[in-house]
Amino acid sequence: MTASTLVGIQSMPGLVILYASIVKKKWAVNSAFMALYAFAAVLICWVLVCYRMAFGDRLLPFWGKGAPALGQTFLIVQARVPESKHRSPTGRYETTEPFYPMASLVYFQFTFAAITMILLAGSVLGRMNIKAWMAFVPLWLIFSYTVGAFSLWGGGFLYHWGVIDYSGGYVIHLSSGIAGLTAAYWVGPRLKSDRERFPPNNVLLMLAGAGLLWMGWSGFNGGAPYAANIDSSIAILNTNICAATSLLVWTSLDVIFFGKPSVIGAVQGMMTGLVCITPGAGLVQSWAAIVMGILSGSIPWVSMMILHKKSSMLQKVDDTLGVFHTHAVAGLLGGLLTGLLAEPALCRLILPIETRGAFYGGNGGVQFMKQLVAALFVIVWNVVSTTIILLAIRLFIPLRMPDEQLVIGDDAVHGEEAYALWGDGEKYDPTRHGWNMSLYSEQTAPPPFVNGARGVTINL
């Protein structure tokens, strides 16, 4: 329950705050609302049908049987993961039975499903029709997320094959990054003016959201063993080591190539470090977490700052927050590095079968190939499923807002704006508030309500 709360805080309010502040001012409300809506909608879909599609009895090698997770008889029994009784290739039933009821597990796994959906939203901020988003959330959860979760975590074919995804490098980050890029393609780009200039409206508030995301990751990776045990402790330490290393490397590259450190860049570096360590957080040694941090702070930086600008395809697709780079690239990198660096003794603490990374000899090379094949499956499934879902929605609802709404932003979409321009929440109207603006020429008139630094308003 503690880990669940920490992961939930990453989304609510973490990503809600982060999205509201990292976008242009006119999109603050819309961006926050997309995250808020997804969090609520995913929970209801999760308990109605999706939890058991992801963790229930086997229907197909990649999908569980959907059913409600609402009944007392189901929720009060001891948790079991996976719930499926399908035998593995070793002939054993490989399950974990933590010492708490199924209700705790249902909520814990919900928080992962919710954050995946919200991360995906980062690719389509600033132009996706909110009604299309409201339809997309439950459909993508059902037809995309549950497939990855069951295949890798819930007793599906990749789980029994021995693919490692400790806490969601593939299920969450690779999925959200690939699906986000695909959605950005089908939804279409922002206005040209927004693509060319899209400054954050509140950098300090953005850092507050990023801080909640970082600290919440202790529940994200620390909760993955389903207990507060040795592996959980290692995972939390490695998570923070990798994130800090990645942030420092990304910032250093910004200074070397652009002459100054970027706060947004530091947040992106933090994010890629957290994502990269996720598939192997409790399975690699802490020196390996530093190695993963160095690579996660540099390879996604190169893909975002250099390769993106040279790729006509990536230039064409308007991925608003660069989710492809910070989550798909970093998640894939982490999954492959786990196939190289997974330490056998740490693997024995949590994994049901003998596992080791390629650097530790034995069958480690086979493990790396398994990681690669699993990544390809996740990529292909998300491209295909996301495409089909959006094309189906497009038959009934436009995916992109009309240009007249895109010009105005929040006020046109929601009838609300993030920041009041007058003391009582009204927009300033000089005729109503008694200012004779004719005293000033258009060129010389000072902003009458600004005291010192721009944006500090005085209610006169």
Side-chain angles (χ1 to χ4, degrees):
M1 288 187 288
T2 301
S4 302
T5 302
L6 285 169
V7 181
I9 286 173
Q10 289 184 287
S11 297
M12 272 290 297
L15 283 171
V16 171
I17 292 173
L18 181 63
Y19 283 4
S21 53
I22 201 172
V23 298
K24 206 169 185 176
K25 183 174 68 175
K26 72 175 185 177
W27 292 116
V29 171
N30 180 256
S31 300
F33 181 76
M34 286 178 71
L36 176 65
Y37 168 81
F39 192 81
V42 167
L43 177 55
I44 301 307
C45 295
W46 193 247
V47 296
L48 286 176
V49 67
C50 290
Y51 172 77
R52 299 184 78 171
M53 293 180 74
F55 292 93
D57 290 327
R58 181 176 181 264
L59 175 65
L60 297 170
F62 54 86
W63 226 353
K65 295 178 182 177
L70 291 167
Q72 170 185 324
T73 54
F74 176 78
L75 294 174
I76 66 173
V77 300
Q78 184 174 350
R80 185 174 70 245
V81 189
E83 192 179 338
S84 173
K85 285 291 188 181
H86 179 66
R87 286 184 185 274
S88 74
T90 65
R92 297 179 298 171
Y93 293 123
E94 296 160 355
T95 61
T96 300
E97 296 187 345
F99 294 106
Y100 43 76
M102 191 65 84
S104 295
L105 187 62
V106 170
Y107 185 72
F108 177 66
Q109 290 297 346
F110 146 71
T111 60
F112 284 84
I115 199 171
T116 307
M117 199 78 243
I118 296 171
L119 292 173
L120 190 163
S123 293
V124 293
L125 297 179
R127 83 280 198 178
M128 186 169 185
N129 185 335
I130 192 65
K131 295 176 183 176
W133 174 249
M134 293 171 76
F136 177 76
V137 168
L139 291 173
W140 191 85
L141 185 71
I142 292 169
F143 293 105
S144 188
Y145 181 82
T146 57
V147 170
F150 184 82
S151 298
L152 283 154
W153 288 343
F157 75 105
L158 295 175
Y159 172 88
H160 288 301
W161 194 35
V163 175
I164 302 173
D165 190 8
Y166 178 84
S167 192
Y170 287 176
V171 174
I172 295 170
H173 300 295
L174 183 58
S175 294
S176 61
I178 295 298
L181 187 72
T182 306
Y185 173 82
W186 289 111
V187 172
R190 289 166 289 171
L191 290 178
K192 185 173 183 292
S193 58
D194 282 352
R195 290 196 74 178
E196 292 173 348
R197 179 165 173 74
F198 205 71
N201 67 81
N202 194 321
V203 172
L204 298 181
L205 201 59
M206 178 192 73
L207 287 175
L212 289 169
L213 201 63
W214 187 346
M215 293 300 99
W217 225 284
S218 292
F220 199 104
N221 289 346
Y226 300 122
N229 54 22
I230 296 172
D231 207 57
S232 176
S233 178
I234 290 289
I236 291 174
L237 178 61
N238 286 346
T239 296
N240 285 273
I241 288 173
C242 187
T245 304
S246 182
L247 185 154
L248 296 175
V249 170
W250 192 295
T251 300
S252 299
L253 289 171
D254 279 347
V255 171
I256 292 168
F257 286 92
F258 303 124
K260 59 183 70 173
S262 163
V263 177
I264 296 177
V267 170
Q268 289 169 328
M270 173 205 82
M271 185 79 71
T272 55
L274 292 167
V275 170
C276 183
I277 194 63
T278 292
L283 307 176
V284 301
Q285 298 188 62
S286 293
W287 63 261
I290 294 178
V291 173
M292 294 174 78
I294 293 171
L295 294 174
S296 65
S298 54
I299 292 177
W301 186 93
V302 170
S303 77
M304 179 180 286
M305 301 298 180
I306 298 175
L307 298 182
H308 181 94
K309 295 175 181 177
K310 294 184 177 181
S311 168
S312 58
M313 190 275 287
L314 291 176
Q315 283 285 304
K316 180 181 178 182
V317 180
D318 182 16
D319 180 359
T320 306
L321 299 185
V323 178
F324 172 76
H325 303 286
T326 55
H327 292 273
V329 174
L332 175 61
L333 177 66
L336 297 180
L337 288 174
T338 298
L340 297 175
L341 298 170
E343 204 278 331
L346 293 174
C347 289
R348 283 193 290 272
L349 291 175
I350 186 171
L351 298 181
I353 58 176
E354 184 68 25
T355 306
R356 65 181 61 229
F359 286 168
Y360 293 93
N363 63 349
V366 175
Q367 186 63 47
F368 181 81
M369 291 305 299
K370 289 179 180 180
Q371 299 298 112
L372 184 59
V373 171
L376 292 174
F377 171 77
V378 171
I379 290 169
V380 171
W381 185 271
N382 276 277
V383 170
V384 173
S385 62
T386 305
T387 296
I388 293 173
I389 291 166
L390 287 169
L391 291 179
I393 293 172
R394 194 169 70 175
L395 295 174
F396 305 97
I397 308 170
L399 299 179
R400 186 175 181 267
M401 297 180 201
D403 284 353
E404 53 268 26
Q405 286 188 342
L406 293 176
V407 170
I408 298 170
D410 289 337
D411 198 21
V413 180
H414 300 281
E416 299 164 317
E417 291 185 321
Y419 301 102
L421 302 184
W422 189 242
D424 58 1
E426 298 179 65
K427 296 180 183 179
Y428 173 69
D429 180 346
T431 61
R432 290 179 58 200
H433 292 95
W435 285 87
N436 185 355
M437 297 303 289
S438 63
L439 296 175
Y440 303 98
S441 71
E442 193 171 293
Q443 288 75 27
T444 62
F449 316 116
V450 176
N451 178 24
R454 181 182 59 177
V456 181
T457 62
I458 301 174
N459 184 354
L460 298 177

